[in-house]
Short mmCIF file of all heavy atoms in Angstrom, two decimals:
data_model
loop_
_atom_site.label_atom_id
_atom_site.label_comp_id
_atom_site.label_asym_id
_atom_site.label_seq_id
_atom_site.Cartn_x
_atom_site.Cartn_y
_atom_site.Cartn_z
N PHE A 36 -170.08 -0.10 147.91
CA PHE A 36 -169.03 -0.49 148.84
C PHE A 36 -167.83 0.44 148.71
O PHE A 36 -166.71 0.09 149.04
CB PHE A 36 -168.62 -1.94 148.59
CG PHE A 36 -169.71 -2.89 148.98
CD1 PHE A 36 -170.72 -3.20 148.09
CD2 PHE A 36 -169.75 -3.45 150.24
CE1 PHE A 36 -171.74 -4.06 148.44
CE2 PHE A 36 -170.76 -4.31 150.61
CZ PHE A 36 -171.76 -4.61 149.70
N PHE A 43 -160.15 -5.04 150.96
CA PHE A 43 -161.42 -4.80 151.64
C PHE A 43 -161.80 -5.93 152.59
O PHE A 43 -162.55 -5.74 153.53
CB PHE A 43 -162.55 -4.58 150.64
CG PHE A 43 -162.88 -5.79 149.81
CD1 PHE A 43 -163.85 -6.68 150.23
CD2 PHE A 43 -162.21 -6.06 148.63
CE1 PHE A 43 -164.16 -7.81 149.49
CE2 PHE A 43 -162.52 -7.18 147.87
CZ PHE A 43 -163.49 -8.05 148.30
N LEU A 80 -166.25 -17.19 158.16
CA LEU A 80 -167.57 -17.50 157.63
C LEU A 80 -167.53 -18.91 157.03
O LEU A 80 -166.53 -19.33 156.46
CB LEU A 80 -167.96 -16.49 156.55
CG LEU A 80 -169.21 -16.79 155.74
CD1 LEU A 80 -170.45 -16.49 156.59
CD2 LEU A 80 -169.24 -15.97 154.46
N CYS A 82 -169.43 -21.08 154.20
CA CYS A 82 -170.32 -20.91 153.04
C CYS A 82 -170.46 -22.23 152.30
O CYS A 82 -169.46 -22.90 152.03
CB CYS A 82 -169.76 -19.84 152.10
SG CYS A 82 -170.80 -19.53 150.64
N VAL A 117 -166.21 -17.33 141.40
CA VAL A 117 -166.04 -15.93 141.82
C VAL A 117 -166.27 -15.81 143.33
O VAL A 117 -165.50 -15.18 144.05
CB VAL A 117 -166.98 -15.01 141.03
CG1 VAL A 117 -167.07 -13.63 141.68
CG2 VAL A 117 -166.51 -14.87 139.59
N VAL A 118 -167.36 -16.42 143.82
CA VAL A 118 -167.64 -16.39 145.26
C VAL A 118 -166.51 -17.09 146.02
O VAL A 118 -166.06 -16.61 147.08
CB VAL A 118 -168.99 -17.06 145.57
CG1 VAL A 118 -169.19 -17.23 147.07
CG2 VAL A 118 -170.14 -16.24 144.97
N LEU A 121 -163.58 -14.81 146.53
CA LEU A 121 -163.80 -13.87 147.63
C LEU A 121 -163.62 -14.55 148.98
O LEU A 121 -163.01 -14.00 149.91
CB LEU A 121 -165.20 -13.27 147.52
CG LEU A 121 -165.46 -12.37 146.32
CD1 LEU A 121 -166.95 -12.10 146.17
CD2 LEU A 121 -164.69 -11.06 146.44
N LEU A 122 -164.15 -15.77 149.09
CA LEU A 122 -164.00 -16.53 150.34
C LEU A 122 -162.53 -16.81 150.65
O LEU A 122 -162.09 -16.70 151.79
CB LEU A 122 -164.79 -17.83 150.25
CG LEU A 122 -166.31 -17.70 150.29
CD1 LEU A 122 -166.97 -18.94 149.69
CD2 LEU A 122 -166.79 -17.49 151.71
N LYS A 123 -161.78 -17.16 149.61
CA LYS A 123 -160.36 -17.46 149.80
C LYS A 123 -159.61 -16.22 150.26
O LYS A 123 -158.74 -16.30 151.14
CB LYS A 123 -159.76 -17.99 148.50
CG LYS A 123 -158.33 -18.48 148.63
CD LYS A 123 -157.83 -19.08 147.32
CE LYS A 123 -156.40 -19.60 147.46
NZ LYS A 123 -155.90 -20.16 146.19
N GLN A 125 -160.72 -13.94 152.04
CA GLN A 125 -161.11 -13.64 153.40
C GLN A 125 -160.87 -14.81 154.36
O GLN A 125 -161.35 -14.80 155.49
CB GLN A 125 -162.58 -13.23 153.41
CG GLN A 125 -162.83 -11.97 152.58
CD GLN A 125 -164.30 -11.65 152.45
OE1 GLN A 125 -165.10 -12.50 152.05
NE2 GLN A 125 -164.67 -10.44 152.79
N ASP A 127 -162.12 -17.72 154.48
CA ASP A 127 -163.35 -18.36 154.91
C ASP A 127 -163.45 -19.78 154.35
O ASP A 127 -162.75 -20.15 153.41
CB ASP A 127 -164.57 -17.54 154.46
CG ASP A 127 -164.65 -16.20 155.17
OD1 ASP A 127 -164.21 -16.11 156.33
OD2 ASP A 127 -165.14 -15.23 154.56
N MET A 189 -173.63 -19.55 155.52
CA MET A 189 -174.30 -18.93 154.39
C MET A 189 -174.46 -19.99 153.31
O MET A 189 -173.49 -20.64 152.93
CB MET A 189 -173.50 -17.74 153.84
CG MET A 189 -174.20 -17.06 152.65
SD MET A 189 -173.19 -15.76 151.87
CE MET A 189 -173.09 -14.58 153.21
N ILE A 191 -175.64 -20.77 149.46
CA ILE A 191 -175.88 -20.13 148.17
C ILE A 191 -176.31 -21.19 147.18
O ILE A 191 -175.60 -22.16 146.94
CB ILE A 191 -174.62 -19.40 147.68
CG1 ILE A 191 -174.23 -18.29 148.66
CG2 ILE A 191 -174.84 -18.82 146.29
CD1 ILE A 191 -172.96 -17.56 148.30
N LYS A 218 -178.12 -18.40 156.66
CA LYS A 218 -178.52 -17.37 155.71
C LYS A 218 -178.54 -18.00 154.33
O LYS A 218 -177.55 -18.60 153.90
CB LYS A 218 -177.54 -16.18 155.73
CG LYS A 218 -177.91 -15.08 154.72
CD LYS A 218 -177.00 -13.88 154.85
CE LYS A 218 -177.35 -13.06 156.08
NZ LYS A 218 -178.68 -12.41 155.97
N VAL A 220 -179.21 -17.71 150.17
CA VAL A 220 -179.29 -16.86 148.98
C VAL A 220 -179.63 -17.76 147.80
O VAL A 220 -178.92 -18.72 147.51
CB VAL A 220 -177.97 -16.13 148.71
CG1 VAL A 220 -178.09 -15.24 147.46
CG2 VAL A 220 -177.55 -15.30 149.91
N PHE A 222 -179.92 -17.82 143.90
CA PHE A 222 -179.69 -17.22 142.58
C PHE A 222 -180.51 -18.01 141.56
O PHE A 222 -180.20 -19.18 141.28
CB PHE A 222 -178.21 -17.24 142.22
CG PHE A 222 -177.38 -16.23 142.97
CD1 PHE A 222 -176.43 -16.64 143.90
CD2 PHE A 222 -177.56 -14.87 142.76
CE1 PHE A 222 -175.66 -15.72 144.59
CE2 PHE A 222 -176.80 -13.93 143.46
CZ PHE A 222 -175.85 -14.36 144.37
N GLU A 294 -171.38 -8.68 138.51
CA GLU A 294 -171.42 -7.67 139.57
C GLU A 294 -172.55 -7.95 140.56
O GLU A 294 -172.39 -7.79 141.77
CB GLU A 294 -171.57 -6.27 138.97
CG GLU A 294 -171.49 -5.16 140.01
CD GLU A 294 -171.37 -3.79 139.39
OE1 GLU A 294 -170.85 -3.70 138.26
OE2 GLU A 294 -171.78 -2.81 140.03
N LYS A 295 -173.71 -8.39 140.05
CA LYS A 295 -174.84 -8.68 140.93
C LYS A 295 -174.49 -9.80 141.90
O LYS A 295 -174.88 -9.77 143.08
CB LYS A 295 -176.08 -9.05 140.12
CG LYS A 295 -177.34 -9.24 140.96
CD LYS A 295 -178.50 -9.75 140.12
CE LYS A 295 -179.01 -8.72 139.16
NZ LYS A 295 -180.26 -9.18 138.46
N ILE A 296 -173.76 -10.80 141.43
CA ILE A 296 -173.35 -11.92 142.28
C ILE A 296 -172.45 -11.40 143.41
O ILE A 296 -172.65 -11.72 144.59
CB ILE A 296 -172.59 -12.99 141.46
CG1 ILE A 296 -173.44 -13.48 140.27
CG2 ILE A 296 -172.16 -14.14 142.35
CD1 ILE A 296 -174.63 -14.29 140.63
N ILE A 297 -171.44 -10.61 143.03
CA ILE A 297 -170.47 -10.13 144.02
C ILE A 297 -171.14 -9.20 145.03
O ILE A 297 -170.92 -9.32 146.24
CB ILE A 297 -169.30 -9.42 143.31
CG1 ILE A 297 -168.55 -10.40 142.40
CG2 ILE A 297 -168.34 -8.82 144.33
CD1 ILE A 297 -167.48 -9.76 141.54
N LEU A 298 -171.94 -8.25 144.55
CA LEU A 298 -172.59 -7.30 145.45
C LEU A 298 -173.53 -8.01 146.41
O LEU A 298 -173.60 -7.67 147.60
CB LEU A 298 -173.36 -6.25 144.64
CG LEU A 298 -172.51 -5.19 143.94
CD1 LEU A 298 -173.39 -4.32 143.04
CD2 LEU A 298 -171.78 -4.32 144.95
N THR A 299 -174.25 -9.01 145.91
CA THR A 299 -175.16 -9.77 146.78
C THR A 299 -174.37 -10.49 147.86
O THR A 299 -174.72 -10.45 149.05
CB THR A 299 -175.98 -10.77 145.97
OG1 THR A 299 -176.79 -10.07 145.01
CG2 THR A 299 -176.89 -11.59 146.88
N TYR A 300 -173.29 -11.16 147.46
CA TYR A 300 -172.48 -11.88 148.44
C TYR A 300 -171.93 -10.93 149.50
O TYR A 300 -172.01 -11.21 150.71
CB TYR A 300 -171.32 -12.60 147.74
CG TYR A 300 -170.25 -13.04 148.71
CD1 TYR A 300 -170.43 -14.16 149.51
CD2 TYR A 300 -169.08 -12.30 148.85
CE1 TYR A 300 -169.47 -14.54 150.43
CE2 TYR A 300 -168.11 -12.66 149.77
CZ TYR A 300 -168.31 -13.79 150.55
OH TYR A 300 -167.37 -14.15 151.47
N LEU A 301 -171.37 -9.80 149.08
CA LEU A 301 -170.78 -8.87 150.05
C LEU A 301 -171.83 -8.30 150.99
O LEU A 301 -171.60 -8.19 152.20
CB LEU A 301 -170.06 -7.73 149.29
CG LEU A 301 -168.79 -8.10 148.54
CD1 LEU A 301 -168.27 -6.89 147.76
CD2 LEU A 301 -167.72 -8.63 149.49
N ALA A 302 -173.00 -7.97 150.45
CA ALA A 302 -174.06 -7.42 151.29
C ALA A 302 -174.56 -8.45 152.30
O ALA A 302 -174.77 -8.15 153.48
CB ALA A 302 -175.21 -6.92 150.43
N GLU A 303 -174.75 -9.68 151.83
CA GLU A 303 -175.26 -10.73 152.73
C GLU A 303 -174.22 -11.12 153.77
O GLU A 303 -174.56 -11.41 154.92
CB GLU A 303 -175.70 -11.96 151.91
CG GLU A 303 -176.89 -11.71 151.01
CD GLU A 303 -178.09 -11.18 151.79
OE1 GLU A 303 -178.52 -11.84 152.76
OE2 GLU A 303 -178.59 -10.08 151.44
N LYS A 304 -172.95 -11.11 153.38
CA LYS A 304 -171.91 -11.40 154.37
C LYS A 304 -171.87 -10.32 155.44
O LYS A 304 -171.72 -10.60 156.64
CB LYS A 304 -170.54 -11.54 153.71
CG LYS A 304 -169.44 -11.67 154.76
CD LYS A 304 -168.14 -12.21 154.23
CE LYS A 304 -167.17 -12.40 155.39
NZ LYS A 304 -165.92 -13.06 155.00
N GLN A 305 -172.02 -9.07 155.01
CA GLN A 305 -171.98 -7.96 155.96
C GLN A 305 -173.12 -8.05 156.97
O GLN A 305 -172.99 -7.63 158.11
CB GLN A 305 -172.06 -6.64 155.20
CG GLN A 305 -171.59 -5.45 156.00
CD GLN A 305 -171.35 -4.23 155.11
OE1 GLN A 305 -171.31 -4.33 153.90
NE2 GLN A 305 -171.23 -3.08 155.73
N ASN A 306 -174.24 -8.64 156.52
CA ASN A 306 -175.41 -8.77 157.41
C ASN A 306 -175.47 -10.12 158.11
O ASN A 306 -176.48 -10.44 158.74
CB ASN A 306 -176.69 -8.58 156.60
CG ASN A 306 -176.81 -7.19 156.02
OD1 ASN A 306 -176.36 -6.22 156.64
ND2 ASN A 306 -177.38 -7.06 154.84
#
Side-chain angles (χ1 to χ4, degrees):
F36 291 85
F43 66 92
L80 171 76
C82 181
V117 166
V118 171
L121 293 167
L122 289 159
K123 186 176 181 181
Q125 299 173 307
D127 293 329
M189 180 186 295
I191 298 177
K218 179 175 285 293
V220 180
F222 286 113
E294 185 169 333
K295 185 186 291 187
I296 304 290
I297 297 173
L298 286 173
T299 299
Y300 164 77
L301 291 175
E303 294 304 304
K304 173 163 185 174
Q305 199 166 347
N306 296 326

